[in-house]
Amino acid sequence: MSAIQPVVLSGWGVSLQPLSLAHVDGLVEATADGDIWRLNVTSAPAPGAPSVTAYIEHALQGQSQGTMLPFVVVTDAQRIVGTTRFYDIDTDVPNLAIGYTWYAASVQRTHVNTACKRLLLGHAFDTLNCAAVYFHTSHLNLASRAAIARLGAKMDGVIRHHKRHKDGSLRDTWSYSIVSDEWPEIKADLEKKLAR
């Protein structure tokens, strides 16, 4: 697999579009929808153009280095509701991780996350021919851990004192993966959930 190129992924009421500085205003609104940015365990920036701009610039720097491919999440109503990205991209294996995912409070616990994961996993396995896709989350982020497990990802282990949370406290990272052999069953399950 060569370097991953920006792409639009659409389906099930959402569109994942290449993240750019043109999305600052929409993401400022999304961060103000609920208090997700206050959570110590999320990557969501604080509301306001300076913090959102810095967040996007960091993601685009990762994209220019070939280690990230960031997306903005847009509903069919053309409302920006969050972001997600591929990161830790290794084109040799190939494999990658999905993360830096956050959504406006008004679309949490809706079809949006399931649709985004179906689109991202489909692109990773069906188009990029990944051998594995990883998910990493804080030991404190119980909602994320439960959501990852519901996808059908298997827990690989815990990397202790791996990173720091926003407040500087040490984070143990829970690491999960889906391998290519597991994708067909997980794909069918996600599509069944989205059909409900």
Side-chain angles (χ1 to χ4, degrees):
M1 177 175 72
S2 57
I4 299 177
Q5 299 301 314
V7 63
V8 175
L9 305 173
S10 298
W12 298 281
V14 299
S15 178
L16 301 180
Q17 302 174 10
L19 181 65
S20 77
L21 289 170
H23 299 121
V24 169
D25 290 345
L27 286 174
V28 168
E29 287 184 29
T31 59
D33 179 355
D35 288 332
I36 190 167
W37 63 275
R38 293 185 188 275
L39 297 177
N40 202 26
V41 295
T42 72
S43 65
S51 60
V52 171
T53 298
Y55 182 87
I56 293 173
E57 287 174 341
H58 179 263
L60 295 178
Q61 181 181 15
Q63 179 175 309
S64 70
Q65 295 167 347
T67 61
M68 294 182 180
L69 187 62
F71 298 90
V72 64
V73 181
V74 184
T75 67
D76 278 356
Q78 298 306 303
R79 179 177 166 229
I80 292 174
V81 295
T83 70
T84 190
R85 71 184 76 159
F86 292 142
Y87 70 101
D88 285 354
I89 296 168
D90 183 339
T91 57
D92 290 335
V93 176
N95 61 33
L96 50 79
I98 294 173
Y100 293 88
T101 303
W102 59 268
Y103 304 109
S106 59
V107 299
Q108 292 173 22
R109 289 174 290 284
T110 69
H111 74 287
V112 168
N113 186 54
T114 305
C116 289
K117 293 303 186 289
R118 168 60 186 86
L119 292 168
L120 291 166
L121 287 165
H123 190 64
F125 286 118
D126 299 334
T127 302
L128 302 175
N129 296 313
C130 283
V133 172
Y134 299 96
F135 301 87
H136 307 123
T137 193
S138 167
H139 67 287
L140 298 177
N141 196 341
L142 302 181
S144 177
R145 285 166 41 193
I148 294 167
R150 273 195 309 274
L151 282 174
K154 305 284 191 292
M155 185 173 172
D156 296 317
V158 178
I159 308 168
R160 297 180 300 158
H161 291 189
H162 180 225
K163 295 186 176 188
R164 291 196 181 270
H165 293 114
K166 288 179 183 176
D167 67 0
S169 62
L170 285 166
R171 164 182 140 165
D172 292 345
T173 296
W174 286 48
S175 181
Y176 299 78
S177 66
I178 296 171
V179 297
S180 57
D181 290 348
E182 297 163 343
W183 171 233
E185 183 177 345
I186 289 171
K187 177 180 180 179
D189 184 59
L190 286 172
E191 291 180 357
K192 189 186 302 180
K193 288 174 181 172
L194 287 162
R196 287 179 194 151

